[in-house]
Amino acid sequence: MIEACTDNKYISIYNFLKRNQDQFKPNLSEYSNLRKYARKLSKNASNLFLKERENHLAHASFYINDLDLSLFISSFCVDRYSSKKGLGGELMDHMKQKIADLNFNSILLEVFTENIVAI
């Protein structure tokens, strides 16, 4: 059974990003220090995982902006072995519920132009 869970532990975030860095376009390590990025996300962002048993299948890190009533996605990824199973949509549904609970207006995502899948 797949479940959603909040996990702001550095090691969980780092391990997931390291294992899936090539899922990002361009590759995450080409433009970011993975250790520093995972540390920043663990301390400053909310982190949501979809997992089955102890296996993390998908991950999103997001910031809540009270000023403009928006949720900003900093990182969004489905594990390469779990892609094409609807988990990205399920993860996005959890974030949509989060903004609905907060009475927010929007979800924002900044992506590189070469990341066609994200666009």
Side-chain angles (χ1 to χ4, degrees):
M1 180 176 162
I2 295 174
E3 62 181 321
C5 68
T6 301
D7 184 349
N8 281 350
K9 291 186 218 114
Y10 162 78
I11 196 67
S12 299
I13 298 164
Y14 175 75
N15 285 340
F16 187 88
L17 293 176
K18 184 176 180 190
R19 187 175 69 246
N20 292 288
Q21 63 183 304
D22 62 336
Q23 295 294 92
F24 292 82
K25 304 297 178 221
N27 186 308
L28 188 57
S29 63
E30 289 180 25
Y31 61 92
S32 182
N33 177 301
L34 290 177
R35 291 186 189 281
K36 287 181 182 178
Y37 186 54
R39 192 165 286 113
K40 176 184 166 188
L41 295 177
S42 72
K43 289 182 179 182
N44 301 320
S46 296
N47 290 275
L48 180 65
F49 283 93
L50 294 183
K51 69 178 192 173
E52 187 171 47
R53 290 179 233 102
E54 294 304 312
N55 299 320
H56 290 113
L57 307 176
H59 169 253
S61 288
F62 54 93
Y63 297 91
I64 296 171
N65 186 339
D66 292 321
L67 296 176
D68 67 0
L69 301 178
S70 66
L71 182 142
F72 176 80
I73 301 172
S74 180
S75 177
F76 189 95
C77 182
V78 175
D79 182 271
R80 75 172 57 80
Y81 301 110
S82 301
S83 64
K84 308 293 183 211
K85 297 179 182 175
L87 295 177
E90 187 174 337
L91 192 57
M92 186 59 73
D93 287 344
H94 283 282
M95 286 189 286
K96 287 178 186 176
Q97 185 59 53
K98 181 78 169 168
I99 68 165
D101 292 345
L102 295 169
N103 292 318
F104 279 15
N105 300 319
S106 62
I107 296 176
L108 306 170
L109 172 66
E110 183 177 27
V111 298
F112 287 98
T113 55
E114 58 268 18
N115 190 344
I116 303 303
V117 173
I119 293 169

